[in-house]
Amino acid sequence: MRTVLALLLTAAATPAMALCPADAGFLTVNRPLETARAAVGDGRLTILAMGSSSIEGVGASTPDLGFVPLLERGLEARLPGVEVTVVNRGVGGENAGETAARFPAEIEATQPDLILWQLGANDVLQDRTEDVFLIDFRAGQELLSGRGADVIVIDSQRVPEDRDLDFIRGRNPALGAFSALTALEAGRVGYGVFNRFETMTGWTDLDDGGVGPDGLHLNDAGYACWAELTAESLAGALR
């Protein structure tokens, strides 16, 4: 893993590596990111990252190897002259509705140009229905409406098929279905989408597919891969 991670961490400002391939569909921009692009033009970009444990960085060996700090460094390398701040507001275990309820306070505190909202995985693990998930997703949209920030959602991670862990066994079909629903709804309202679930099928060269021993949270290589792909695609959309 040290070799893989070293390759990923030294790959800033380069195209996504063969170790974690993604086609052009990793980021779907359903509406121009006008607020974030204007902020980049002004030399200062603030991103609010909301969601559960993968935003929080659970599973990383040290806090600075989680998704948010790696994304911040990756964007700064790709957007020279721009002061990038990515604010980590991930709370492990939250479902979509619980994250959405925090939007007003977190937006007021950070005044972001761009909001990343990771959702779906805990809704599946908590055996919530697609209908309930969609209700919460739309409640979050109401709370985001009129805030002025651009929004990109992040769908669920994929879980390993070969782990002898009851709580993840057979979950990928539901995780995939929730990810598809997330993309469909995001397209309806004009949110961008980071298509993480499908992208992770190509992470075969990462140790354990980028997922840690608990079968759910990403390991260091997984976080590095996800952050590099996100930084590369997002910087391209913002230039």
Side-chain angles (χ1 to χ4, degrees):
M1 181 181 297
R2 291 181 183 275
T3 302
V4 171
L5 183 59
L7 287 170
L8 292 169
L9 293 178
T10 56
T14 66
M17 296 68 59
L19 287 171
C20 42
D23 60 27
F26 176 63
L27 169 60
T28 302
V29 181
N30 289 307
R31 180 185 297 163
L33 302 173
E34 295 179 353
T35 300
R37 286 175 62 90
V40 168
D42 291 337
R44 185 186 298 268
L45 174 66
T46 300
I47 299 173
L48 173 61
M50 297 281 290
S52 55
S53 55
S54 61
I55 296 295
E56 185 179 357
V58 175
S61 61
T62 62
D64 66 322
L65 293 179
F67 170 71
V68 168
L70 292 179
L71 175 61
E72 184 174 276
R73 297 202 293 271
L75 287 173
E76 286 180 337
R78 291 166 170 83
L79 300 171
V82 180
E83 181 181 347
V84 178
T85 301
V86 185
V87 180
N88 188 337
R89 290 295 183 265
V91 177
E94 280 193 342
N95 59 45
E98 291 166 335
T99 299
R102 294 192 289 116
F103 281 146
E106 300 292 4
I107 293 170
E108 180 66 26
T110 58
Q111 297 296 304
D113 307 297
L114 172 64
I115 297 168
L116 304 183
W117 182 10
Q118 172 261 317
L119 71 169
N122 283 324
D123 295 270
V124 172
L125 295 176
Q126 295 169 14
D127 296 316
R128 306 178 88 227
T129 68
E130 291 187 12
D131 287 343
V132 171
F133 170 72
L134 189 58
I135 288 170
D136 284 346
F137 193 179
R138 289 179 174 171
Q141 293 167 28
E142 289 294 321
L143 294 171
L144 292 171
S145 179
R147 297 286 180 171
D150 297 314
V151 180
I152 301 178
V153 296
I154 303 166
D155 67 16
S156 175
Q157 75 269 32
R158 182 178 291 271
V159 296
E161 303 281 2
D162 59 352
R163 307 285 178 91
D164 188 22
L165 298 168
D166 289 341
F167 81 102
I168 64 168
R169 187 178 295 111
R171 293 288 193 173
N172 276 328
L175 292 170
F178 272 61
S179 295
L181 179 59
T182 297
L184 183 66
E185 180 66 11
R188 185 185 71 83
V189 296
Y191 292 168
V193 184
F194 284 119
N195 301 291
R196 184 170 52 151
F197 181 81
E198 289 300 326
T199 296
M200 285 183 67
T201 62
W203 290 9
T204 55
D205 288 332
L206 291 188
D207 290 299
D208 299 316
V211 180
D214 66 359
L216 179 63
H217 299 106
L218 300 184
N219 56 28
D220 286 349
Y223 277 121
C225 199
W226 176 27
E228 283 295 305
L229 294 175
T230 303
E232 182 72 14
S233 58
L234 182 55
L238 295 177
R239 292 191 187 102

